[in-house]
Amino acid sequence: MKYPIYISDADKDSRIELKRMLSQGGWSCRPFLSAADLVNEIRALEPGVVLLDVRNTSTDGADLIETISEANFALPIIAIAEKASADIVVAAMKSGAVDFLEKPFPAETLEKAIEGAAPIVDQRIRIVDQTEKDKARIEILTPRELEVLKALSRGDSNAMISQNFDISVRTVETHRANIIRKIDLPNIVGAISVFQRYEAASSARPV
């Protein structure tokens, strides 16, 4: 699938050239005049690939990559720059860019990078969808049920939870039963798996 490409490059000639190359390759493109314009709309954009010039911007490129990734996880970023130093490349990749291209580059190089990013979009869409499903399950729990589930995920026994929360073991068992029923899984192991997967995804990206 050819996802839309979002171009953020303050250089007008560069934007025009990037759009020309991508359009000839059959991609749908949307250029932004500045990184600020992209950030303002980032949460509403459909899954796709961002071409981000990390030098033609008033904001630090690495910080900008982190901002975009946090706002819309389903948009992997290919960082681009003219005369990029090793420090710029390393900072961009450490901040979450999936690739780095030094301008100028031929259409074949750009197409290869975007084609390489497409499976990442697929993967991130699946992660976002699963995280939203897990979030919906977790959010129906009461605060106390969530505390119990967190304790269970740490490996605490019913007796430990009873002591730590100053409640009876029978009450802990009731909370466990409610958690299983609400999350709609056959046992507490499944509920713990949902919680741990949700926690792992939430720590890696905002929900």
Side-chain angles (χ1 to χ4, degrees):
M1 177 178 179
K2 288 193 172 184
Y3 291 104
I5 311 300
Y6 305 105
I7 303 169
S8 175
D9 192 331
D11 184 282
K12 181 180 179 181
D13 292 338
S14 179
R15 284 199 312 274
I16 292 173
E17 179 61 12
L18 288 170
K19 184 176 181 180
R20 182 192 66 78
M21 287 193 293
L22 291 168
S23 297
Q24 287 182 346
W27 277 277
S28 171
C29 307
R30 181 177 174 189
F32 290 84
L33 299 182
S34 69
D37 290 340
L38 172 64
V39 170
N40 286 340
E41 297 189 39
I42 198 70
R43 293 184 183 276
L45 297 180
E46 295 180 359
V49 178
V50 172
L51 284 179
L52 178 67
D53 192 305
V54 293
R55 297 196 69 177
N56 286 331
T57 173
S58 60
T59 305
D60 178 75
D63 290 343
L64 191 55
I65 290 171
E66 292 180 357
T67 297
I68 293 171
S69 298
E70 290 173 359
N72 194 329
F73 183 65
L75 293 174
I77 298 165
I78 297 174
I80 60 176
E82 187 175 4
K83 298 178 181 178
S85 66
D87 288 343
I88 291 176
V89 176
V90 170
M93 299 303 288
K94 282 186 175 181
S95 296
V98 300
D99 205 345
F100 196 106
L101 302 179
E102 185 171 13
K103 298 192 296 186
F105 42 76
E108 294 78 10
T109 299
L110 178 58
E111 290 180 9
K112 184 178 179 180
I114 291 175
E115 289 169 355
I120 299 175
V121 181
D122 294 335
Q123 180 187 44
R124 291 187 177 186
I125 289 173
R126 290 193 295 270
I127 292 172
V128 169
D129 288 345
Q130 185 61 61
T131 303
E132 289 302 319
K133 291 177 183 177
D134 292 342
K135 180 181 179 183
R137 283 174 152 175
I138 297 298
E139 285 185 340
I140 63 176
L141 301 178
T142 66
R144 175 62 84 186
E145 288 165 352
L146 182 57
E147 289 177 341
V148 170
L149 182 55
K150 286 180 179 179
L152 291 168
S153 72
R154 293 193 299 267
D156 291 359
S157 66
N158 286 1
M160 291 173 63
I161 296 171
S162 170
Q163 181 177 8
N164 292 338
F165 294 162
D166 194 24
I167 57 178
S168 69
V169 171
R170 182 177 294 275
T171 300
V172 175
E173 292 172 346
T174 298
H175 285 315
R176 287 177 61 130
N178 287 339
I179 291 168
I180 294 170
R181 175 179 56 80
K182 289 183 178 181
I183 293 185
D184 193 25
L185 288 170
N187 53 53
I188 197 65
V189 174
I192 290 172
S193 296
V194 167
F195 175 76
Q196 291 178 336
R197 183 173 59 211
Y198 172 71
E199 285 285 281
S202 297
S203 64
R205 56 167 291 273
V207 179

